[in-house]
Amino acid sequence: MFPALKTEVEARFDAINLFFGATRNLTENHAAIAKGLMFVQMYAVYEFTVNSVVSAAIDSIKSYNHKMKDMSPSLMALFLDPELNSLRDGQRRNEWNNRLKLFERVFSRETLNLSSGTRPPNDGSHYRYTHLVLIFQVFGIRRLPVRRRNHIQRITEVVDHRNSIAHGNERAEDIGRRYTKSEIQTAIRQMKSVCMLLLTVFDEYCADPSRHCR
């Protein structure tokens, strides 16, 4: 599961590097556009990695056939997502029935059941650093989600520039002109490091079923 995902993410970063290398002979304006669009491509692989890691982790944890009552409290917050949503969105006349169902499930011997297509837990920051911190908290992973502190700012930069271009707030060439070719290459390496760390950490976490239970 995770080895195949690592291969896919590496291939996507290889494609980014190949494309960027092919832009070396572009005119100044077109080269600036290419540099700006690198942030869109980096973001695409980064978002894919985050979503895929969470999906793979859900499938992996389910494969151990853990009982709900044995799960860590933070994982319960994830695997009880349908019941918690019912409490939030349900009609008032069903409120207490939904509460009873929730706590019956908490203490039940039923095995875990949650779609692997479930979106990652989010704090509204849309894949910025605090979003990664929340995901690690939910899975009970007690470490920083980056190798180096300067990767935190890089994540913010990539997300912000991607959003500015995608929403039409700034042109790709205007963002691209702020960076040298070398700086873009450094950004690509750092974002690849972020993604590969996520894959490595979750691979190790999912391989140890004792980390999933209280």
Side-chain angles (χ1 to χ4, degrees):
M1 186 181 302
F2 284 97
L5 190 52
K6 288 179 182 179
T7 299
E8 174 64 22
V9 171
E10 286 179 333
R12 294 190 183 205
F13 274 107
D14 287 345
I16 290 175
N17 281 312
L18 283 171
F19 174 78
F20 191 55
T23 68
R24 64 173 63 91
N25 295 323
L26 293 179
T27 63
E28 181 179 350
N29 190 58
H30 287 163
I33 294 172
K35 285 186 288 184
L37 290 178
M38 287 301 100
F39 289 98
V40 178
Q41 291 188 295
M42 282 185 274
Y43 176 88
V45 183
Y46 167 61
E47 181 178 331
F48 167 79
T49 302
V50 174
N51 289 338
S52 298
V53 158
V54 172
S55 179
I58 290 172
D59 279 343
S60 178
I61 293 170
K62 283 166 56 179
S63 72
Y64 291 104
N65 293 318
H66 293 302
K67 302 297 186 289
M68 179 61 76
K69 69 181 185 63
D70 297 327
M71 301 309 296
S72 68
S74 62
L75 277 177
M76 281 189 179
L78 175 65
F79 281 91
L80 289 169
D81 186 61
E83 289 83 357
L84 292 168
N85 285 337
S86 293
L87 281 181
R88 182 192 63 197
D89 302 330
Q91 296 179 341
R92 184 162 181 80
R93 66 173 178 271
N94 297 323
E95 178 182 351
W96 279 95
N97 282 334
N98 290 335
R99 290 190 189 192
L100 293 172
K101 289 177 182 178
L102 171 64
F103 285 99
E104 285 172 3
R105 184 101 166 96
V106 167
F107 294 102
S108 77
R109 295 184 60 81
E110 295 179 33
T111 56
L112 301 180
N113 184 25
L114 188 68
S115 168
S116 59
T118 299
R119 298 284 291 179
N122 76 84
D123 64 348
S125 68
H126 303 291
Y127 299 96
R128 289 178 174 82
Y129 176 70
T130 57
H131 193 165
L132 298 184
V133 171
L134 175 64
I135 290 171
F136 273 47
Q137 289 174 337
V138 168
F139 283 92
I141 299 173
R142 303 182 186 282
R143 60 150 296 156
L144 293 178
V146 291
R147 286 191 175 93
R148 295 179 176 84
R149 292 278 182 178
N150 62 347
H151 290 182
I152 298 173
Q153 179 56 38
R154 183 66 74 189
I155 291 169
T156 300
E157 182 182 50
V158 168
V159 174
D160 286 347
H161 287 339
R162 176 268 178 185
N163 289 346
S164 291
I165 294 169
H167 300 153
N169 297 325
E170 289 190 88
R171 297 185 300 178
E173 56 266 42
D174 292 335
I175 291 174
R177 287 192 185 95
R178 302 172 198 163
Y179 297 87
T180 65
K181 179 180 177 180
S182 176
E183 288 170 338
I184 295 295
Q185 291 170 329
T186 297
I188 294 170
R189 286 195 300 271
Q190 290 178 334
M191 288 307 294
K192 180 178 180 179
S193 176
V194 169
C195 292
M196 299 313 293
L197 178 69
L198 292 176
L199 290 160
T200 298
V201 167
F202 272 87
D203 191 3
E204 293 173 354
Y205 167 81
C206 290
D208 183 0
S210 67
R211 297 179 67 182
H212 313 154
C213 300
R214 38 184 170 170

